Amino acid sequence: MIASLPMYLFDRAAVDAFWSALAGVLRVHGLKEVPEALNWPEPEDLHSHWRREDLLVSQTCGYPLVLGLNGAVRVLGAFNYAADGCDGALYRSYVVAR
């Protein structure tokens, strides 16, 4: 089994630490095939990555979910970000230019 949290990667060490804690909780609750470390797919490979037979858990935003993954994956939940521009489970991106 593999796991990944490839979206919104601002701080890889923080994401790895989050996975370590989450994986521990999954094991405590009886899940046997929990990966020790996250898989880090290349951005151009995400759509095939999300469809892998051995994918335990991953992360996507709503756009690919409704336009290509609906029916192929199951939504488990949504993160509640506390960063500027976020309101609960609603995440907002900014496009900037010089």
Side-chain angles (χ1 to χ4, degrees), residues 9-80:
L9 183 56
F10 301 113
D11 183 343
R12 185 170 175 164
V15 174
D16 283 332
F18 172 75
W19 172 250
S20 180
L22 179 58
V25 170
L26 294 173
R27 288 185 197 101
V28 165
H29 286 280
L31 202 57
K32 297 189 185 326
E33 294 186 56
V34 179
E36 290 293 324
L38 288 171
N39 177 280
W40 294 99
E42 294 297 323
E44 61 271 8
D45 295 332
L46 285 174
H47 286 277
S48 61
H49 169 77
W50 288 320
R51 287 183 166 76
R52 287 181 56 155
E53 294 287 326
D54 59 346
L55 184 66
L56 173 65
V57 65
S58 189
Q59 180 186 29
T60 183
C61 65
Y63 187 76
L65 179 65
V66 299
L67 289 182
L69 296 172
N70 193 17
V73 298
R74 181 185 306 169
V75 176
L76 300 177
F79 288 108
N80 188 340

